[in-house]
Amino acid sequence: MFAASERHQAVLPMFKSACFFRIADHFELPDLAALERVLQKGRFVPCGPTQPESSGWVPPRNKSKVLAESIAGHLVLKLCTEKRAVPSSAIKAAVEERVERYKQETGNERVPSKVKKEFKEEVLLDLLPRAFSKKANTLLWLDPKSRMLVVDAGSLAAADRVVSSLLAALLEVPGGGPALDLQIVHTQSSPAASMSHWLSTREAPWHFTVDRDCELKAADEQKSSVRYARHTLDIDEVAQHIAAGKVPTQLALTWNERVSFMLTEAGQLRRLKMLDVVLKEAEDAKGKDDDNFDANVAILTGELSQLIPDLLEALGGEAEAPAVEQAEKLAA
């Protein structure tokens, strides 16, 4: 069934995207007190004047110093990353100025690459203290019961840092159990193939409706694309684009009239939004904590714990990928 209208509403202040991984059966969550001590050692420290980047753990809950939050068996962590961005144009101009000065002082028209590299390093050290810094927080949710790790990221590349930091922290916990052993979730049918089928047949999978946003891209050299925004997709034109060879790279869906999101060709979720019925339940479930953190976690994990299995089923169920492929994707 295709949705007749867009129903996006305000979101719970939690996950906006979801990149999920499968956890090995043998994994056991370590002692929380021991994990907390490890995380505190890796607590976020802002960038120094000449430091281009810094990352570390911060409290998931407002007005708290606790880094490892456990809600009903679900572990919630947050990694903060700060970067100082120096415009490439500023670096280039400053390096060129030093190169010209070098030529005038030495009388040599040819500047060795080693000297250029040194100039660039000097320029960065000079400009970094004056560069603006930008912070980004990434939430993660680890559910040992369903053997799932969910990262608030819309791509594997974006999830890489927090996943690597989590793995490093777990390895440091004294007396910790077996390694986390993450596996990227693969499905029998690729998301692109499934989205093509849903759009061509105009039949959404069970528990889902197709919304009004979609991008189709050709696989040829020209990479021509067509994007529909707030537009009905139940039309011949969309099916014709697919028949001509264009493949959906993202498609807006709604699950059980409770959660809307954008599914990507790589199987990640973006633009996650809880709809009215969930927001009403969240309002009714307000807890005594200042920011309703416990209630929000309970609702978010409850919804995604049902949405993700339904989505995997709609994509033909899970499929195992070769170990080499898994390692390459996690390292990408």
Side-chain angles (χ1 to χ4, degrees), residues 8 13 17 29 85 90 121 132 149 158 169 186 190 204 220 228 247 249 263 292 297 301-302 320:
H8 294 175
S17 303
L29 197 64
E121 291 173 352
F132 289 104
L149 170 69
H186 285 258
S190 72
D220 55 24
Y228 293 90
V247 177
T249 57
L263 176 65
N292 302 311
V297 169
T301 57
E320 293 186 5

Side-chain angles (χ1 to χ4, degrees), residues 11-22:
V11 300
L12 289 168
M14 300 290 288
F15 281 50
K16 295 180 181 179
S17 303
C19 184
F20 36 92
F21 304 83
R22 183 63 72 189

Side-chain angles (χ1 to χ4, degrees), residues 15-37:
F15 281 50
K16 295 180 181 179
S17 303
C19 184
F20 36 92
F21 304 83
R22 183 63 72 189
I23 301 170
D25 292 334
H26 56 254
F27 174 75
E28 293 182 5
L29 197 64
D31 176 72
L32 285 178
L35 177 60
E36 180 70 24
R37 288 192 290 270

Side-chain angles (χ1 to χ4, degrees), residues 208 246 299 301:
F208 293 88
K246 289 188 177 67
I299 291 170
T301 57

Side-chain angles (χ1 to χ4, degrees), residues 136-169:
N137 292 317
T138 305
L139 278 166
L140 69 80
W141 154 45
L142 195 153
D143 182 5
K145 185 177 180 181
S146 66
R147 300 188 301 108
M148 188 71 71
L149 170 69
V150 182
V151 181
D152 184 12
S155 68
L156 289 175
D160 180 66
R161 179 185 294 277
V162 69
V163 168
S164 298
S165 297
L166 172 64
L167 293 175

Side-chain angles (χ1 to χ4, degrees), residues 3 33 35 62 65 68-69 78 87 134 151 159-160 173 181 189 193 205 217 236 255 290 315:
L35 177 60
N62 292 334
K65 296 182 179 180
E69 289 284 357
K78 182 188 287 188
K134 183 178 181 181
V151 181
D160 180 66
V173 178
D181 192 18
S189 174
K217 187 173 292 185
D236 292 338
W255 171 76
D290 292 338
L315 297 173

